[in-house]
């Protein structure tokens, strides 16, 4: 009975992360597959270990250099973090990327070369390869991978990871809102499966503690 209660509670936590949230912004960029059924929280509590890992989405988009990027092929056998957001987001997107960037810098050089951090835009109409490249240098790290393309393709790929996104909308004052869930999903280099889920509450310290294990395909 105790185990059942833990699973139910964890499922509710995971479900909360899949709720669409609005990120409001303006027209000036700020600097700087399946539903989860049963999950179990890791000891660190920053991440949720998925009992039913996600399959890496079959996404082929454009990177910050305008070149075709096959997500599955390019990250095969690599520890990978995937996050969906947009450059005009005023809060959670740059904070999430800066937290990961701070932890990334503390990894040994060899581990940095192994890790792939992928930011997929939810606002491809404005997030061109050039814009993504400039934004990632400020909000994240130049080594991070920014991807853009047509919205239906991005939306379909996001759905494979339980990530809900909607087309950006503009209100009467010109402010743009993008609806998207805010989880970061970690993929194991051993299985290429998405086995850890982080919410926007994860801190730089959380990622600093967990990334060395993620690079090895271990559960923090």
């Amino acid at each position: 009975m105790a185990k059942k209660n833990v699973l139910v509670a964890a499922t509710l936590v995971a479900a909360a992360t899949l709720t669409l949230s609005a990120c409001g912004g303006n027209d000036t960029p700020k600097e700087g597959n399946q539903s989860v059924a049963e999950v179990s929280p890791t000891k660190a509590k920053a991440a949720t270990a998925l009992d039913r890992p996600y399959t890496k989405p079959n996404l082929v988009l454009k990177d910050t250099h305008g070149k075709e990027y096959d997500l599955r092929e390019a990250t095969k056998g690599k520890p990978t973090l995937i996050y969906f957001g947009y450059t005009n987001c005023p809060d959670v997107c740059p904070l999430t990327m800066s937290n990961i960037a701070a932890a990334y810098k503390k990894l040994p050089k060899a581990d940095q070369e192994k890790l792939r951090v992928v930011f997929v835009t939810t606002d491809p109409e404005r997030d061109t390869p050039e814009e993504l490249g400039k934004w990632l240098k400020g909000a994240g790290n130049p080594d991070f991978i920014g991807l853009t393309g047509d919205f239906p393709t991005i939306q379909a790929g996001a759905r494979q990871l339980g990530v809900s996104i909607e087309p950006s909308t503009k209100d009467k004052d010109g402010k743009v809102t993008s609806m998207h869930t805010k989880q970061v999903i970690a993929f194991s280099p051993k299985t290429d499966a998405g086995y850890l889920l982080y919410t926007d509450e994860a801190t730089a310290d959380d990622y600093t503690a967990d990334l060395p294990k993620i690079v090895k395909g271990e559960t923090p």
Side-chain angles (χ1 to χ4, degrees):
M1 179 63 72
K3 181 178 180 181
K4 181 178 180 181
N5 289 338
V6 169
L7 290 174
V8 171
T11 300
L12 292 175
V13 170
T17 70
L18 304 182
T19 302
L20 276 172
S21 298
C23 292
N26 53 39
D27 290 333
T28 302
K30 285 183 70 69
E31 294 183 2
N33 94 63
Q34 55 183 310
S35 61
V36 179
E38 292 185 354
V39 294
S40 54
T42 64
K43 293 180 180 179
K45 297 182 179 179
T48 297
L50 305 177
D51 289 338
R52 298 180 183 179
Y54 289 114
T55 298
K56 193 173 291 179
N58 185 20
L59 268 177
V60 179
L61 299 169
K62 297 291 185 181
D63 65 15
T64 54
H65 303 290
K67 296 181 179 180
E68 187 175 275
Y69 190 93
D70 186 324
L71 181 64
R72 278 189 182 174
E73 189 62 30
T75 62
K76 185 177 181 179
K78 302 289 185 182
T80 303
L81 301 182
I82 296 179
Y83 181 73
F84 288 80
Y86 69 117
T87 65
N88 284 274
C89 174
D91 38 48
V92 67
C93 300
L95 177 60
T96 297
M97 297 310 291
S98 65
N99 283 341
I100 295 174
Y104 177 85
K105 290 179 181 179
K106 295 181 180 179
L107 287 172
K109 186 63 177 179
D111 285 350
Q112 289 183 11
E113 292 176 352
K114 294 175 184 176
L115 183 64
R116 300 291 183 267
V117 179
V118 182
F119 180 87
V120 185
T121 182
T122 60
D123 184 19
E125 184 174 340
R126 293 184 298 168
D127 285 346
T128 63
E130 183 181 10
E131 287 298 328
L132 279 174
K134 291 191 297 184
W135 185 81
L136 283 173
K137 288 180 181 178
N141 187 289
D143 292 333
F144 291 176
I145 299 156
L147 298 180
T148 188
D150 65 273
F151 185 83
T153 297
I154 293 171
Q155 186 178 50
R159 284 173 177 167
Q160 293 176 48
L161 298 178
V163 175
S164 297
I165 64 175
E166 296 295 338
S168 299
T169 58
K170 184 180 294 186
D171 65 20
K172 61 181 181 180
D173 297 320
K175 291 184 177 180
V176 176
T177 298
S178 179
M179 301 292 288
H180 64 92
T181 50
K182 299 176 287 188
Q183 64 265 38
V184 173
I185 301 172
F187 290 78
S188 168
K190 297 178 179 179
T191 64
D192 276 326
Y195 72 118
L196 294 174
L197 184 150
Y198 290 84
T199 71
D200 60 319
E201 295 181 355
T203 66
D205 287 341
D206 291 327
Y207 286 113
T208 298
D210 292 359
L211 284 187
K213 294 183 178 179
I214 290 173
V215 168
K216 298 176 182 178
E218 300 174 353
T219 300

